[in-house]
Amino acid sequence: AVQAAALRKPEKLIAIDIKNQALVLAQEFGATDTIGSSKEDAVNKVKSLTNGKGADKVLVCIGNTKAIEEGIQMTSIPKILF
């Protein structure tokens, strides 16, 4: 997903995962920023990285209720959640 998103050349491409190795790969595939969600508050970190605005688009790649809820919270208005 990160590699495909990187093809659009976004100003910021933030990858979030609980596994450090996944974050290393995300950077190799084009993520500009990474967040280790087992150690950091992902919603607040995304807001910080986007100057309080939130992400323009969020792609949640896991069927976890908490991840979906956080995806909604970190998305800017209007909300676009994939």
Side-chain angles (χ1 to χ4, degrees):
V2 171
Q3 190 174 23
L7 293 173
R8 302 288 307 217
K9 300 191 184 331
E11 183 178 325
K12 284 203 170 287
L13 178 53
I14 306 167
I16 304 168
D17 205 295
I18 60 171
K19 299 177 186 171
N20 191 51
Q21 183 59 29
L23 297 174
V24 170
L25 288 172
Q27 284 188 310
E28 290 176 13
F29 286 123
T32 59
D33 300 275
T34 60
I35 300 171
S37 60
S38 63
K39 297 176 183 172
E40 298 180 81
D41 180 328
V43 174
N44 285 331
K45 185 70 175 185
V46 168
K47 298 277 185 172
S48 173
L49 289 168
T50 59
N51 297 316
K53 178 183 168 208
D56 292 334
K57 297 172 185 72
V58 173
L59 174 62
V60 178
C61 298
I62 186 168
N64 177 290
T65 304
K66 182 179 178 196
I68 294 168
E69 290 171 353
E70 287 182 350
I72 292 168
Q73 294 172 13
M74 65 182 64
T75 306
S76 63
I77 304 294
K79 298 198 178 294
I80 301 175
L81 181 70
F82 298 98

